[in-house]
Amino acid sequence: MKKMSVAILLVLFIIGACSSNQNQEFQEEKQDQTGVENNQSANEERTETELTVLAENLDVPWSITKHQNAFYITERPGGIVKIENEEMERQTISLEKDQSDAAEAGLLGFVLTPDFSESNLAYGYYTYTDESGQFNRVVTLRLSDEGWQEEEVLIDEIPSGTYHHGGRLEIGPDDKLYVTTGDASNAEIAQDLNSLGGKILRMELDGSIPEDNPESDSYVYSYGHRNPQGIAWSSSGEIYASEHGNSANDEINNIGAGENYGWPIIEGNQEREGLVSPLFTSGDDTTWAPSGMAYSDEKLYVAALRGTAVLEFDLETNQHKEVVTGLGRIRDVWTEDNYLYFISNNTDGRGSAEVNDDKLYRIGMSELD
Ligand SMILES: [Ca+2]
């Protein structure tokens, strides 16, 4: 069995050139950081036998979205890569404002409109600088023969600072566009309902404020967030979001309309009346640095940067574990048709880039048990 798995490893990773020493380091770092006990040898065997690399040489990839058989991956320095049938096409993108090259900033969230086949339209979230400062904005982008072109600004001047730009875009089952925004390294704004920072925002697909938002004239759906970068829905319509804590205390929250998730008043497992504590937290000693999220079969799959893993959170048992390790930092995940897809994030200067990093991977969901 071991021999067979090694043989398959060679085939699958002939272009991957993974260093086993590096994997070992990641394994140890992971165990230190997450404190999750697991069976290391079983984990390695699974990774070796069941993983497929769908694309490589991605440049700080940030977001996965998919249309039919085509993946569209954003690259934080300002690119969109289409991957279809093992063909990789780097598409140009023309933005109205100068994109910021600050840490963690750039082209972040990206999601295709429900009628993308006809409209060629998508939503994008990017950080920019102009004479009045550095901000994030949500825009529509249209694809033509000339590449992607910024068309309409749906929401502008979302706060941006040294760090914590938020940036995830997802369309909910209610056909609203959700936007996760960070506190822009200015914690107080997360509690300020007049600020767009440290929030989860909700808008109609045309950019207007939904009539059934908690406040009728506000995009704010929930607040008291530090730096949320992932959002996903269960099959019953519950909303879950991931959020980076302030050194450890990362959170997975169950999001409710108008609720306050506590930052910076409380964090992690702390409790206070009127504030919502997380469903899961990494605790005081562990850092996941959670980013993109996906849902499948009563489980949440969460990309972990510092945790260098895909984490699985079981919503029925309240248990969590690592299901993919040894590939470095993970930025985003996507689930579809019994497969888990994910992108590594080792080329942003904070990780150890392997040969041909970063990569888009696929693994069968049945291999995660
Ligand atoms: Ca919180």
Side-chain angles (χ1 to χ4, degrees), residues 224-225 243 251 253 261-263 266-268 276-278:
H225 299 291
E243 157 168 356
E251 298 179 357
N253 287 298
Y261 289 83
W263 177 252
I266 59 167
E267 59 181 329
V276 182
S277 297

Side-chain angles (χ1 to χ4, degrees), residues 59-282:
D59 185 17
V60 198
W62 210 87
S63 171
I64 305 173
T65 191
K66 189 165 177 277
H67 177 70
Q68 295 168 355
N69 290 320
F71 291 89
Y72 292 85
I73 311 283
T74 57
E75 295 180 311
R76 192 156 61 77
I80 293 174
V81 180
K82 180 183 178 185
I83 297 146
E84 186 170 23
N85 301 327
E86 298 176 22
E87 295 280 313
M88 193 167 144
E89 176 196 353
R90 188 164 269 107
Q91 301 175 321
T92 62
I93 177 165
S94 173
L95 301 173
E96 184 194 324
K97 297 279 193 180
D98 291 334
Q99 196 188 298
S100 167
D101 59 2
E104 304 177 4
L107 179 61
L108 304 177
F110 183 76
V111 62
L112 304 172
T113 54
D115 65 346
F116 177 69
S117 295
E118 297 82 47
S119 68
N120 286 317
L121 206 62
Y123 302 101
Y125 182 109
Y126 74 96
T127 321
Y128 67 90
T129 51
D130 66 10
E131 58 282 352
S132 51
Q134 180 178 303
F135 303 98
N136 301 289
R137 56 167 35 175
V138 178
V139 300
T140 59
L141 298 161
R142 198 180 298 273
L143 181 63
S144 70
D145 292 342
E146 284 85 57
W148 294 91
Q149 187 91 32
E150 179 174 339
E151 203 164 86
E152 189 183 356
V153 182
L154 299 188
I155 186 164
D156 205 357
E157 299 197 345
I158 296 168
S160 182
T162 310
Y163 302 109
H164 308 168
H165 317 289
R168 192 65 61 189
L169 299 180
E170 298 289 353
I171 296 172
D174 54 0
D175 285 330
K176 305 290 190 279
L177 178 63
Y178 288 75
V179 185
T180 70
T181 70
D183 72 3
S185 304
N186 181 8
E188 287 67 32
I189 68 172
Q191 291 294 323
D192 178 359
L193 288 171
N194 293 314
S195 169
L196 294 173
K199 306 293 185 306
I200 293 176
L201 309 177
R202 178 177 183 258
M203 64 178 74
E204 299 286 356
L205 298 183
D206 64 3
S208 62
I209 296 172
E211 284 183 2
D212 58 349
N213 264 12
E215 299 291 330
S216 59
D217 58 348
S218 172
Y219 288 112
V220 174
Y221 190 73
S222 64
Y223 65 110
H225 299 291
R226 183 173 175 273
N227 192 23
Q229 288 190 341
I231 186 166
W233 285 259
S234 71
S235 52
S236 62
E238 290 290 314
I239 308 175
Y240 300 92
S242 69
E243 157 168 356
H244 295 253
N246 181 24
S247 87
N249 290 304
D250 295 323
E251 298 179 357
I252 306 295
N253 287 298
N254 186 192
I255 301 300
E259 299 284 8
N260 182 350
Y261 289 83
W263 177 252
I265 303 163
I266 59 167
E267 59 181 329
N269 268 335
Q270 294 174 331
E271 295 182 356
R272 187 175 295 193
E273 185 154 7
L275 307 180
V276 182
S277 297
L279 202 57
F280 298 93
T281 175
S282 64

Side-chain angles (χ1 to χ4, degrees), residues 29-36 282 286-288 307 311 320 322:
E29 180 183 348
K30 159 216 68 179
Q31 289 197 326
D32 288 348
Q33 287 176 351
T34 66
V36 176
S282 64
T286 303
T287 299
W288 298 326
L311 305 175
H320 68 276
E322 298 171 335

